[in-house]
Amino acid sequence: MAFIVSGMSAPEPPARQSRRFPVLDDEPPPRPLWRRLLAPTAVVVVAGLVAAGVAAWPRSGPGSRHRAESLTRLTAAGGRILSVAVSGELVLSGPAGNGPVSLHALGQIGQSIYPATDDKYFSLDNGQVLAVTGSHPPARAKTKIGLFTLDITGSTLGAFADHDRELVALVSPGYGTQTRFKVVLYSLATGRPVTLGIGHNAAGDPQAPGVFATVIAPVRATSATSNVIADSRIELRDLGHPVRLLASTADLERDLHLSPRGGAALTPYPSPSGDAVAVTVRPRFGSSTAGVVILSRSGRVLGTIPVAAGPAAAVSTGPFTPPAGGGVAWSPSGQALAFPAPGRSGPGLSVWTRNGRLRKQAFPKATAAEYKSCLWSPDGQSIICASGGIGQQWVVATMAAHVMTPVHGPGVPVAWLP
C-alpha cells in the first residue's frame, strides 16, 4: 500500500541581521531559540522512549518475537496456497495469506475440488480437470472426459491414479445412494471408462490404474443409533490384477485393540508414491475420533495410531472433510502423516513418522478456530491447517522451529504449490 504525505512549504528564512562584532558588543549574542529548546526536548523524548519501552517490554517477549519472525519467514517463503473462497472462486496467496489473487477466469467452482496426491491435477465434480504447470496458476486441462451428470461424483479421497493418467469417479446406481458406488476409472487421454467393482470409498492408486477401495458391511439390526456407516474390508484393485484383500475391519480393529463387535468406518489415504495406505478406522459407536492403521501394498502393518490419539471424526462430507472420519495428510516424501486431533490436553497438530514417533503440538489458544484439515509444504518443512466452515483462519506450523503462527487466509486451503 502506498502512502502519500501531503507536502509542506519550507519555513521562510529569517530576516538578515547586521553582523555582530564581539570586540564591540558588551555581551555575547543569545543562542537561537531552536538550540535553547533542543536539550530539554531531547530529554523529554528519551524519557518517553524509555517509558514506552518499559511499558511494552512484556509484550515483546520471546513468544511475540518468534511469531513476528515466523510471520516474516512465511511472507518471504516460496510457495503458493491454493484455496477456495466463500464465493466459490479459487484464490492463490502466500503462506501467510498475503497477496491473494482470485482466479476469475476459472469462474465459481463451488466447494468441490479434489487434488491429486502430487497436487499437479485437480478434479471438479462435473468431470473437468485443472492442471498446474510450473509456476503458472491452475488452468483447465484438455481431456477426453465429458461432463459428468448428477449421479457421478469425483473421488473425495484420491481423485487420480496411475501417475495422474486416470481419474477416479464414483457412480451412484440410484438417486440418493451414498453407500454403494460403482468405482470407475476414466482415462484422461482417451476418456475410456473402466469399472472396478462396487465400493463405499475409493482412492486412486498412484502407482497403477487402480484404487484402494472399501466395501460396506452388511447392515445389522441394533438398538443403538449411529451416523457412521460400517465397512467390512479394504482392498487394492488394480486393472489386470486379482483383487488384493489388504485387511478386514476385524483385522484393523485388532491392530488398534478395539472390540470387533461394533464395526467401524474405513477411509483410505494412499501415500504420494503409493507404497503405503493410511486407513482411518472410526468405531461405529462411542468415539468422536478415529484410529489409523498404516498398511503396505501387501497388507503388512507399518504402524498404528490409537483412537485416543487419532484425528477427529468429520461431521459433514465434502472435499475437505472425508465422509467417514478424521482426515490425514501425507508429507511429500511419504514419510510422515499430519492431522488435527482433539486429545485430552486440548486440540493440536499431530505428526506421525514411519519410525513410530507421534508428536503433538498444541494449537494457539488465542484463536478460537477449530482446525479441520492440514496440508504440507512442498519441502515437507511446514504444515498449514485451516478452520472448519469458510476456513479463513489458518495456522502454519514450522517443523524445525516448533513454531505455530496463526494467520488470516482467503479461504479453505486445497494445496500448497511450489
Side-chain angles (χ1 to χ4, degrees), residues 83-91 103 106-113 410:
S83 59
V84 180
V86 179
S87 63
E89 287 187 328
L90 287 177
V91 181
L103 305 182
L106 297 177
Q108 294 184 348
I109 65 165
Q111 298 294 318
S112 299
I113 177 171

Side-chain angles (χ1 to χ4, degrees), residues 14-358:
R16 183 184 298 270
Q17 299 179 354
S18 60
R19 182 179 180 185
R20 288 180 176 268
F21 293 92
V23 176
L24 301 179
D25 294 337
D26 296 331
E27 60 183 26
R31 290 179 298 170
L33 180 61
W34 68 271
R35 293 188 61 183
R36 282 179 281 167
L37 296 177
L38 178 62
T41 303
V43 172
V44 173
V45 171
V46 171
L49 290 176
V50 171
V54 172
W57 181 259
R59 295 189 297 271
S60 58
S64 178
R65 288 199 303 271
H66 287 166
R67 184 184 185 282
E69 293 171 0
S70 179
L71 195 58
T72 301
R73 286 196 299 268
L74 286 176
T75 304
R80 303 161 294 165
I81 304 296
L82 180 67
S83 59
V84 180
V86 179
S87 63
E89 287 187 328
L90 287 177
V91 181
L92 281 175
S93 69
N98 53 302
V101 177
S102 296
L103 305 182
H104 299 297
L106 297 177
Q108 294 184 348
I109 65 165
Q111 298 294 318
S112 299
I113 177 171
Y114 315 110
T117 54
D118 56 11
D119 289 336
K120 293 182 179 179
Y121 290 91
F122 300 87
S123 169
L124 305 182
D125 258 347
N126 59 4
Q128 293 187 88
V129 175
L130 306 181
V132 177
T133 305
S135 60
H136 298 288
R140 285 189 173 85
K142 295 182 179 180
T143 72
K144 295 294 184 178
I145 301 176
L147 293 181
F148 286 164
T149 58
L150 293 178
D151 62 345
I152 300 179
T153 178
S155 171
T156 60
L157 308 172
F160 296 88
D162 192 21
H163 307 282
D164 300 336
R165 296 188 182 99
E166 312 280 339
L167 176 66
V168 181
L170 304 178
V171 181
S172 175
Y175 180 77
T177 302
Q178 298 181 0
T179 56
R180 291 176 56 83
F181 294 100
K182 185 166 62 174
V183 182
V184 183
L185 286 183
Y186 286 88
S187 169
L188 297 184
T190 66
R192 182 176 65 94
V194 177
T195 302
L196 294 176
I198 300 297
H200 179 199
N201 293 316
D205 180 3
Q207 286 190 11
V211 295
F212 294 90
T214 67
V215 180
I216 191 170
V219 179
R220 297 178 181 177
T222 176
S223 58
T225 58
S226 174
N227 60 353
V228 175
I229 300 173
D231 293 304
S232 64
R233 61 191 182 273
I234 178 170
E235 301 172 339
L236 176 58
R237 305 175 187 172
D238 281 339
L239 191 63
H241 296 272
V243 174
R244 179 180 299 171
L245 173 65
L246 299 184
S248 68
T249 301
D251 294 332
L252 299 175
E253 288 174 325
R254 281 193 295 269
D255 295 332
L256 296 171
H257 306 289
L258 298 173
S259 170
R261 298 179 181 178
L266 311 180
T267 309
Y269 295 87
S271 67
S273 67
D275 71 322
V277 57
V279 184
T280 59
V281 182
R282 182 184 175 186
R284 191 178 179 190
F285 305 105
S287 179
S288 60
T289 57
V292 185
V293 179
I294 298 90
L295 302 173
S296 69
R297 294 179 66 86
S298 62
R300 182 168 60 92
V301 177
L302 303 178
T304 61
I305 301 171
V307 173
V315 177
S316 60
T317 60
F320 315 114
T321 52
V328 296
W330 282 97
S331 65
S333 65
Q335 297 300 308
L337 286 171
F339 54 91
R344 297 178 181 176
S345 58
L349 170 65
S350 293
V351 177
W352 172 90
T353 52
R354 291 212 187 190
N355 60 10
R357 182 184 178 190
L358 182 63

